[in-house]
Amino acid sequence: MASTSTYAPSREDFAALLDESYGQNEAFEGSVIKGIVVAIEKDVAVVDLGLKTEGRVALKEFQGPGREGPPKVGDEVEVYLERIENALGEAVISRDKARREESWVKLEKAFEKQEKVEGIIFNQVKGGFTVDLDGAVAFLPRSQVDIRPIRDVTPLMQVPQPFQILKMDRRRGNIVVSRRTVLEESRAEQRHEIVANLEEGQVIEGMVKNITDYGAFVDLGGIDGLLHVTDIAWRRVNHPTEVLTIGQTVRVKIIKINHETHRISLGMKQLLEDPWQGIEAKYPVNARFQGRVTNITDYGAFVELEPGIEGLIHVSEMSWTKKNVHPGKIVATSQEVDVQVLEVDPVKRRISLGLKQTLANPWESFAEKFPIGSEVEGEVKNKTEFGLFIGLDGDVDGMVHLSDLDWKKPGEQAIEDYKKGDIVKAKVLDVDIEKERISLGVKQLASDPFAAKPSEGAAGKTGEDASDLKKGSVVTCEVLDVKDGGIDVKIVGSDFTAFVKRNELARDRADQRPERFAVGEKVDARITLFDRRARKVSVSIKALEVAEEKEAIAQYGSADSGASLGDILGAALRAREETPKKKSSDE
């Protein structure tokens, strides 16, 4: 029997055998290798890796959006080798990881070159969607789905389409993609090509795509142009829907093209004749026309004189008398009104109109009806720190200044006698039509007590007047009121009143007592102040007594005559009493 020798392979021999078994595949753990499907068992595929062992892959790893579908026996597939042999003696392999590994390599190259990649939106998550990029799962933020926000993304799901990679982090396994960037790039290319074929002044047709408050967007065949509301018609258009509807075909003129932003401004009214040509001859200044109120604002009302021609009635030109009133309380939208042309500016395309100019000027009417010096009557509309405002005929107001309220009282004191709503009579002092002012006076209804009057005969005199009164005159006064500090008196036969202070009540201090006097009592006094300009009059009993004493001493004796002061004053008093008796007998 021939002997056989046993040979124990060394570690090197095993490595050589393993290399031979692997062949050219150089299969190591953590890499992608190729294998042959040798069997399908329920929900797994058995794959021969050529490693004298087999691995199992779940069939679901071959399924999904954009995948080739479940394999058949004999198909060659790529798998990711995690471990060469597990506890059961089988290789641990994964089709998902193989696809993901392949995909990451391709995606990194595309990201570096900023190339687009193809993917499928297959699920919705918080804040966006998940996209399958041939095995790698990427996140698509909701803001990156489309150029404009879209409510329903269902038509975009499960459909292969291009995406742009915005961010990649292999360590964390994060990929962020954008569909919007691809659309914007495609749109920009398309817009650039279309804009290159357009030029300003060109007239083209388009379709109204969208309408907003400020205008309409017109599709010019792949690019939108803005038709502003002010360029739809020469007349005022409050809202584009008054003229346009979505889907309507319109002829427009290209007004401006911005080649950097690809923005196009369009106009419809530019295709019509400009109604502002020769506007000055058509609407001369001071001419009157009839128009229709089209719009009311805080500062006035717009009136259409003809289609495309509007003028503004400023709030200050709406009424002669209604100030600080909203224009809506004077005119109404669609109301027909008569207006007068105040100014025409063809460059700025503005016409200033006046409404009040077509009505009678109430100040002119008042001046004709009530010339200066006329007496009027009206209600106190307002009290101010400088006077009263009185409502007059013709819906105008007149003002009574403080200085024109009373001859004798200070204005600040006299105005307290009036309240809002009182009916007051006054005299017209002045009417300024240009400044729209009427000056009135209440005190002018009575004569000026300080005015000098022509002297009358003795038989015609009923009392004192301003011509008789002067500083130093002796007058008789009637006591009107007794106060602690003195007495109020009225000069008999006149309208003058005065206040006699305590120290002016008598020459002797002992007699300077207000209680000595009674209301209604007559007393003689001397005028110590009579100022016509300041309209002030002051009287003093003390001054009269001192003056009489000096006069008596001068006429009836002196300090050196030996006569007593009582004798002198007694003689003066008797002489004074006899004088009126003699005068009476002479008459």
Side-chain angles (χ1 to χ4, degrees):
M1 182 176 182
S3 62
T4 60
S5 60
T6 60
Y7 172 72
S10 66
R11 183 183 295 272
E12 290 77 8
D13 293 335
F14 181 77
L17 290 173
L18 187 60
D19 287 341
E20 182 183 352
S21 177
Y22 284 172
Q24 300 298 321
N25 291 329
E26 296 181 3
F28 296 100
E29 291 182 355
S31 62
V32 178
I33 63 175
K34 291 183 178 180
I36 304 296
V37 178
V38 295
I40 302 294
E41 298 178 356
K42 293 184 180 181
D43 56 351
V44 298
V46 180
V47 181
D48 181 6
L49 303 176
L51 302 175
K52 296 183 180 180
T53 185
E54 297 172 342
R56 295 173 180 271
V57 181
L59 291 178
K60 65 180 181 180
E61 292 192 30
F62 293 92
Q63 298 173 350
R67 302 186 186 183
E68 62 273 12
K72 300 185 293 294
V73 174
D75 287 351
E76 185 180 64
V77 294
E78 289 185 340
V79 293
Y80 181 82
L81 179 62
E82 296 186 41
R83 276 186 295 165
I84 296 177
E85 187 175 354
N86 61 9
L88 300 176
E90 295 180 344
V92 179
I93 58 178
S94 169
R95 173 61 184 157
D96 278 343
K97 289 185 178 181
R99 293 179 69 250
R100 191 176 300 119
E101 193 69 20
E102 285 181 48
S103 184
W104 267 94
V105 174
K106 294 178 183 177
L107 293 175
E108 285 177 335
K109 291 180 180 179
F111 181 56
E112 290 176 4
K113 297 179 181 180
Q114 294 186 347
E115 295 176 345
K116 300 178 186 63
V117 296
E118 190 171 272
I120 297 174
I121 303 173
F122 67 91
N123 193 21
Q124 181 171 339
V125 295
K126 183 178 180 181
F129 306 87
T130 49
V131 180
D132 183 354
L133 301 177
D134 193 23
V137 179
F139 174 64
L140 172 64
R142 185 174 293 275
S143 61
Q144 297 297 323
V145 174
D146 208 319
I147 296 173
R148 293 187 179 91
I150 54 176
R151 297 181 180 177
D152 187 11
V153 190
T154 305
L156 300 177
M157 299 185 73
Q158 308 301 332
V159 178
Q161 52 195 310
F163 294 89
Q164 187 78 41
I165 300 175
L166 302 179
K167 182 180 178 182
M168 286 190 75
D169 188 339
R170 185 157 189 169
R171 185 173 60 84
R172 296 183 178 180
N174 292 339
I175 304 176
V176 180
V177 295
S178 170
R179 179 175 175 269
R180 174 178 177 173
T181 304
V182 176
L183 295 176
E184 287 178 341
E185 184 179 335
S186 174
R187 185 184 179 190
E189 293 175 358
Q190 184 182 18
R191 286 169 65 93
H192 181 75
E193 183 178 348
I194 295 173
V195 170
N197 295 324
L198 298 176
E199 57 184 21
E200 294 181 3
Q202 183 179 351
V203 178
I204 57 176
E205 283 193 350
M207 185 187 70
V208 178
K209 185 176 180 181
N210 189 26
I211 295 177
T212 67
D213 291 339
Y214 54 86
F217 288 94
V218 180
D219 186 353
L220 304 177
I223 188 169
D224 292 347
L226 174 61
L227 174 60
H228 197 270
V229 64
T230 57
D231 289 312
I232 294 176
W234 290 108
R235 66 178 180 84
R236 174 181 293 274
V237 177
N238 293 318
H239 197 276
T241 52
E242 296 177 7
V243 181
L244 305 172
T245 57
I246 294 178
Q248 177 183 351
T249 300
V250 293
R251 289 182 75 248
V252 292
K253 184 175 184 178
I254 298 176
I255 301 173
K256 187 176 181 181
I257 299 176
N258 188 323
H259 291 278
E260 293 181 2
T261 61
H262 292 167
R263 289 182 179 177
I264 303 174
S265 299
L266 307 174
M268 283 178 63
K269 73 179 185 182
Q270 286 76 6
L271 299 177
L272 305 173
E273 184 180 352
D274 186 357
W276 285 87
Q277 291 293 332
I279 196 70
E280 290 175 295
K282 193 183 298 184
Y283 295 99
V285 174
N286 295 328
R288 295 186 179 184
F289 299 91
Q290 189 176 65
R292 181 177 62 87
V293 178
T294 57
N295 191 29
I296 297 175
T297 67
D298 292 338
Y299 53 86
F302 288 91
V303 175
E304 185 180 58
L305 301 175
E306 66 173 81
I309 299 295
E310 281 187 343
L312 171 66
I313 308 174
H314 192 267
V315 63
S316 62
E317 304 295 344
M318 302 195 80
S319 173
W320 289 110
T321 57
K322 294 177 181 177
K323 309 295 183 182
N324 301 320
V325 175
H326 192 276
K329 294 185 178 181
I330 300 175
V331 296
T333 305
S334 300
Q335 179 183 345
E336 297 288 336
V337 292
D338 290 326
V339 292
Q340 181 170 312
V341 178
L342 304 180
E343 184 183 357
V344 178
D345 189 336
V347 177
K348 294 182 179 179
R349 294 175 178 263
R350 293 177 183 173
I351 297 180
S352 297
L353 303 174
L355 179 64
K356 71 182 184 181
Q357 287 77 3
T358 63
L359 307 172
N361 185 328
W363 282 272
E364 290 181 355
S365 301
F366 183 87
E368 293 176 4
K369 189 174 181 180
F370 300 99
I372 293 175
S374 301
E375 187 175 320
V376 294
E377 186 177 70
E379 180 184 343
V380 176
K381 295 290 187 181
N382 194 18
K383 284 175 62 174
T384 69
E385 60 183 10
F386 49 83
L388 298 175
F389 283 93
I390 311 295
L392 302 173
D393 186 67
D395 202 22
V396 295
D397 290 346
M399 192 192 79
V400 183
H401 193 268
L402 289 177
S403 61
D404 291 315
L405 285 172
D406 197 287
W407 289 113
K408 295 170 286 183
K409 294 182 182 178
E412 295 80 4
Q413 181 180 345
I415 199 172
E416 297 302 322
D417 297 335
Y418 300 90
K419 62 181 183 298
K420 198 172 180 179
D422 285 351
I423 302 300
V424 176
K425 289 184 178 181
K427 183 175 286 189
V428 178
L429 304 181
D430 183 49
V431 179
D432 190 329
I433 297 173
E434 187 176 337
K435 294 183 179 179
E436 300 181 352
R437 292 178 185 172
I438 298 174
S439 299
L440 304 176
V442 172
K443 73 180 184 181
Q444 284 78 2
L445 294 174
S447 59
D448 184 356
F450 283 87
K453 300 178 183 178
S455 59
E456 302 176 11
K461 279 195 175 183
T462 56
E464 302 288 351
D465 60 33
S467 61
D468 297 328
L469 301 179
K470 59 185 178 179
K471 184 177 180 181
S473 298
V474 177
V475 293
T476 301
C477 301
E478 180 183 351
V479 179
L480 300 178
D481 192 15
V482 178
K483 302 177 180 178
D484 291 340
I487 59 175
D488 283 321
V489 298
K490 177 182 179 183
I491 299 176
V492 175
S494 74
D495 294 328
F496 297 110
T497 59
F499 179 71
V500 184
K501 297 180 181 179
R502 176 188 284 269
N503 61 353
E504 297 294 335
L505 291 177
R507 179 175 58 85
D508 296 330
R509 182 179 293 273
D511 295 330
Q512 294 176 352
R513 292 176 288 107
E515 58 269 22
R516 291 176 50 230
F517 302 89
V519 175
E521 181 182 350
K522 301 282 197 315
V523 294
D524 288 340
R526 187 168 188 172
I527 296 177
T528 56
L529 174 66
F530 190 82
D531 190 337
R532 291 181 186 276
R533 182 171 296 180
R535 297 186 176 275
K536 290 184 179 180
V537 58
S538 300
V539 297
S540 170
I541 300 173
K542 173 183 177 181
L544 176 61
E545 291 179 351
V546 171
E548 287 180 341
E549 179 182 331
K550 288 182 179 179
E551 183 180 353
I553 292 174
Q555 293 184 12
Y556 301 100
S558 64
D560 298 332
S561 65
S564 66
L565 182 59
D567 295 336
I568 296 172
L569 291 178
L573 183 59
R574 286 192 299 273
R576 182 179 177 186
E577 290 175 351
E578 291 176 358
T579 301
K581 292 180 182 180
K582 181 180 179 183
K583 184 178 180 182
S584 178
S585 63
D586 292 341
E587 292 177 352

